[in-house]
Structures are given as C-alpha cells and as structure tokens.
Amino acid sequence: MTQRIFLDQPTRASTSATVVVSGDQGIVLDRTVFYARGGGQPGDSGVLHWSGGNTPITEAVKGEGEAILHKVAADAALPPVGAVVQAAIDWQRRHAHMRMHTAMHLLCSLIKGAAVTGGAVGADKSRLDFDLPDSPPKEAVEACLNALIEADHPVRSEWVDEAVLDSNPGLVRTLSVQPPRGTGRLRLVRIGDATTPVDLQPCGGTHVSRTGEIGPIRVVKIENKGKQNRRITIAPAG
C-alpha cells in the first residue's frame, strides 16, 4: 500500500520515501505526494532523486491493490529497491489541476438537479458533461461561477463513514464515476460553511484551500453532445 500524502496535504510538493518496487513498468514507493490519475484528474508528473541518480516521472497511476505506480520513460534510470528517494511533483502543473478541479465543483453546484455524465480536468481547460435537455445560458453560468470564486469560500476535505451514502445518495452527482466502497470511510470535499455548503461531494482529487485561489474563469463553450448531454468547457481567463 502506498500512503497517499496528497489526500490530507494537497499543497505538499515533495516527500522522502522508500522504494518498494522498481522496474520498467514503474516505481512503487511506500508513501508519495504524487496524485494517481483518476476521477477525471490527470496523474502528477515530477522527479525522483536518490543518492547517485534521479529519474523523471511521466505520470502517477493506480497500480495493483492500493499501490501507486510512478511511470518512467523506457530508458530512465531506476532506483534500487530499498533506496530512500526524494519525490517531488511538478507543482505548477499540480496547482493548475487543483484550481480547475475546484472550479469544476463550483460549476457542478450551479447546474442543480442534473447528473454529471463525464468530465476531464486539465491545466489549460476542463469540461463537465451534464444530463440536461437544454443548454444553460453561457454568460449567466460564467457570471455566477466567477461570483462564487470571488466570494472566497473555504474548501475542506473530511472523512466520514461511507454509510452516509446510504442515507444521502444524492451526494453523488456523477454517473460515470462512483466513490469506492468497502473501506468503511469516505472522503467528502466541502466548499463553503458546514451548515449551508456551496457544494458537498465525495471526491478523491486535490483542491485549493479557498475558491479565491482559482482566479477568474471563462466559459469557453457549451455544446450539445446528445439528446440529454450538455458539455460545458471552462478555462482560466488570464
């Protein structure tokens, strides 16, 4: 099992770790700050340093069981099993993903009552697909989204008993990705205050600590992708 430091410390950019597995398929560490691709968010890239060598990590993905696999190029140097490494992510890329992922939660909060049928987080642009018969007005969505960002709402994660989904199944907005069950606990991301949150959803991704950190967002386009599918693409306005 790889300890996932990013779940509770999303702003941590590096950590020391011990190599558990090392091979052409990738490197497994006992702990990591590298987010593994999932839920529409890309895996982190970065570098591993150790005594006598270093290797770029192209992307972190989910490995066998609870392991996270740090993918390397075909000709990359590999640290020996048991070596202590310094694992450092590409922070600029990660932070861009954090800002956009949080903006997507805000966008989801604006499209009330519609299930999310798909989505993808990107540093330059991101998208969410909604089960909607008609497209919402683009200008209104953009204005409301930026108002939520400017309000600088707090963003927090919390662990709860997974049975909360049995009593409140409406917490899950996504049809394509369901939160994992069986561990006994569930990670919720809350935007806003405890009593009347702007958004509250199960999520294993990384997020900024306040919505103001996102910065201005523009709605690039709203497309019809089927009879009941509306795709909203957003991007940083700067």
Side-chain angles (χ1 to χ4, degrees):
M1 177 179 177
T2 305
Q3 180 187 351
R4 289 153 165 76
I5 294 173
F6 54 80
L7 285 176
D8 297 312
Q9 300 179 59
T11 61
R12 188 163 170 180
S14 65
T15 186
S16 61
T18 301
V19 177
V20 177
V21 175
S22 183
D24 293 339
Q25 298 301 310
I27 299 163
V28 177
L29 307 175
D30 66 337
R31 63 203 307 259
T32 191
V33 290
F34 281 72
Y35 176 81
R37 184 200 325 143
Q41 181 173 331
D44 284 327
S45 57
V47 64
L48 300 184
H49 299 280
W50 67 94
S51 178
N54 63 80
T55 191
I57 301 301
T58 57
E59 187 180 20
V61 299
K62 294 175 182 177
E64 294 184 9
E66 293 299 312
I68 288 179
L69 192 64
H70 302 72
K71 305 285 286 184
V72 297
D75 57 349
L78 296 173
V81 172
V84 175
V85 302
Q86 189 71 16
I89 61 173
D90 179 341
W91 170 250
Q92 185 174 0
R93 179 172 178 266
R94 155 71 82 76
H95 190 235
H97 290 157
M98 290 167 63
R99 290 165 58 208
M100 292 299 282
H101 198 158
T102 309
M104 290 167 70
H105 276 241
L106 293 178
L107 175 60
C108 192
S109 76
L110 294 174
I111 313 299
K112 301 184 184 302
V116 175
T117 57
V121 181
D124 299 321
K125 64 179 180 180
S126 302
R127 66 169 176 84
L128 278 177
D129 293 353
F130 293 94
D131 183 21
L132 274 177
D134 301 302
S135 295
K138 178 174 175 287
E139 294 77 12
V141 171
E142 182 173 291
C144 291
L145 183 57
N146 281 297
L148 288 173
I149 291 169
E150 292 169 7
D152 201 26
H153 294 286
V155 183
R156 300 288 183 268
S157 64
E158 57 194 73
W159 292 95
V160 298
D161 193 297
E162 67 178 25
V164 72
L165 291 185
D166 299 324
S167 58
N168 190 1
L171 286 173
V172 181
R173 293 286 302 276
T174 55
L175 295 179
S176 57
V177 180
Q178 292 293 313
R181 302 290 295 264
T183 63
R185 66 177 194 157
L186 179 74
R187 183 174 182 259
L188 296 179
V189 171
R190 180 188 301 271
I191 301 178
D193 61 45
T195 54
T196 55
V198 173
D199 188 66
L200 179 64
Q201 290 188 54
C203 185
T206 58
H207 300 272
V208 295
S209 61
R210 303 194 68 89
T211 61
E213 194 176 337
I214 298 169
I217 291 289
R218 62 190 177 95
V219 175
V220 178
K221 56 186 173 180
I222 300 179
E223 304 172 271
N224 293 338
K225 289 293 183 179
K227 186 177 180 180
Q228 284 284 131
N229 198 50
R230 303 294 170 260
R231 175 170 295 176
I232 303 179
T233 301
I234 61 174

